Amino acid sequence: MNETVDAIGVCIEKGKVNKSSSYPIDLQGQDGADELTLQALTQNIAPDEILKTCNDAMQRIGDKFGRNEVFVPELLMAAKAMNTVMVHLKPFFQAGSIKTKGKFIIGTVSGDLHDIGKNLVSMVVEGNGWEVIDLGVDVKTAKFLKAISDNPNSFVGLSALLTTTMANMASTVKEIKMEYPKTTVIVGGAPLSEESAKIMGADGYAADPQSAVLFLNRKIA
Ligand code: B1M
């Protein structure tokens, strides 16, 4: 493992966005996720390696939150640092083909504000030649239905990170399938599984962005 990449992981876990950010106190004056990511890319470190380190760091801060060792403000700072890294990685994931394979509507379901995973899926799917219509977070069913109506033949992806919002996801899938039975819906997010996707009536489950791409590509093969 490279020292710069390790340091990016520390910045994510501690919520150190850039050199000028005063948080956290013990890293004041040091390079943050912003500067270190640019340095890592200049050293030709693979964007995938940087991303994996960041995801591991998010997992660690999430585990600490689960043990009540950190609280929502720390999660928010970690997310801010992670988003800074993603700004620099985005062009690498978007370097795919230009002619689009189809339209993919994606959003985080109602009641859920987690968007880092959903944004990663958007980037990777877009980079693989799909036009992505990102509806954002806390997306009500009506907004998905309007987007499907505005974009006939599109595919739909729903993301949820909370066990509580999985229930909202299930009702969104159900309503989409009632109004647009031919629309393919895939679901993903940490609390989901193949089994829960099946119970909801979704056409597929994707554990990560790459699985989402494989699923979509198979559908148009
Ligand atoms: Co929240 N949070 N959070 N949080 N948060 C979790 C999810 C939690 C597991 C932490 C914990 O307790 N250990 C826990 C959920 C527990 C549960 O439901 N079982 C939790 C909680 C409880 C909460 C609050 C309720 C806390 C509170 O207020 N008391 C609150 C809820 C707010 C709301 O949504 N209404 C809350 C708030 C937040 C912040 C806003 C502070 C922040 C989000 C900031 C943001 O997203 N902009 C936050 C964060 C950062 C996390 C953790 C630490 C990290 C999530 C993340 O970004 N991971 C998370 C703990 C964890 O995940 N270990 C946690 C990195 C990201 C790359 O992974 O999102 O899993 P992930 O996405 C993956 C896959 O899941 C998949 O691909 C992605 C890339 O590999 N994927 C898809 C995701 N969507 C997909 C869609 C697809 C396909 C694949 O196809 C359509």
Side-chain angles (χ1 to χ4, degrees):
M1 182 69 98
N2 171 287
E3 257 178 40
T4 314
V5 181
D6 282 347
I8 295 171
V10 171
C11 287
I12 300 297
E13 192 174 347
K14 292 194 161 197
K16 172 77 174 168
V17 177
N18 56 32
K19 192 167 186 165
S20 62
S21 42
S22 53
Y23 179 85
I25 289 173
D26 62 326
L27 295 184
Q28 265 182 14
Q30 295 184 29
D31 285 341
D34 190 19
E35 294 82 7
L36 289 166
T37 304
L38 287 173
Q39 286 164 31
L41 292 171
T42 312
Q43 292 167 31
N44 287 326
I45 291 169
D48 278 346
E49 190 184 330
I50 300 172
L51 186 59
K52 183 178 180 313
T53 300
C54 294
N55 283 343
D56 291 347
M58 289 304 276
Q59 185 63 48
R60 287 197 299 277
I61 189 80
D63 291 345
K64 283 185 181 170
F65 178 78
R67 296 193 298 265
N68 286 329
E69 292 168 16
V70 298
F71 302 96
V72 172
E74 283 89 348
L75 288 193
L76 275 173
M77 291 311 293
K80 203 170 168 193
M82 172 99 187
N83 279 325
T84 306
V85 172
M86 280 167 59
V87 168
H88 296 307
L89 298 188
K90 195 170 180 182
F92 294 89
F93 293 106
Q94 288 182 322
S97 89
I98 291 167
K99 188 176 168 296
T100 73
K101 295 174 178 168
K103 290 185 184 181
F104 181 57
I105 298 167
I106 188 168
T108 303
V109 298
S110 176
D112 201 320
L113 301 174
H114 295 85
D115 68 354
I116 295 174
K118 184 263 299 162
N119 292 345
L120 272 171
V121 175
S122 296
M123 273 187 220
V124 174
V125 170
E126 195 173 32
N128 275 273
W130 290 78
E131 180 183 343
V132 173
I133 299 162
D134 189 340
L135 302 180
V137 295
D138 188 18
V139 182
K140 311 284 179 256
T141 303
K143 196 167 174 184
F144 281 110
L145 295 175
K146 164 118 185 19
I148 298 167
S149 151
D150 291 346
N151 299 280
N153 303 320
S154 50
F155 293 73
V156 178
L158 308 178
S159 177
L161 260 288
L162 299 171
T163 40
T164 48
T165 55
M166 275 173 66
N168 302 340
M169 180 181 252
S171 64
T172 298
V173 172
K174 196 172 157 204
E175 286 191 50
I176 291 174
K177 284 292 179 186
M178 254 162 49
E179 216 155 306
Y180 300 99
K182 287 189 181 154
T183 298
T184 300
V185 181
I186 60 169
V187 295
L192 274 292
S193 64
E194 290 280 359
E195 202 193 348
S196 51
K198 208 174 275 176
I199 293 168
M200 282 178 196
D203 298 284
Y205 160 72
D208 49 46
Q210 209 46 44
S211 314
V213 166
L214 288 175
F215 181 91
L216 290 170
N217 288 347
R218 263 201 310 272
K219 281 281 164 192
I220 55 161

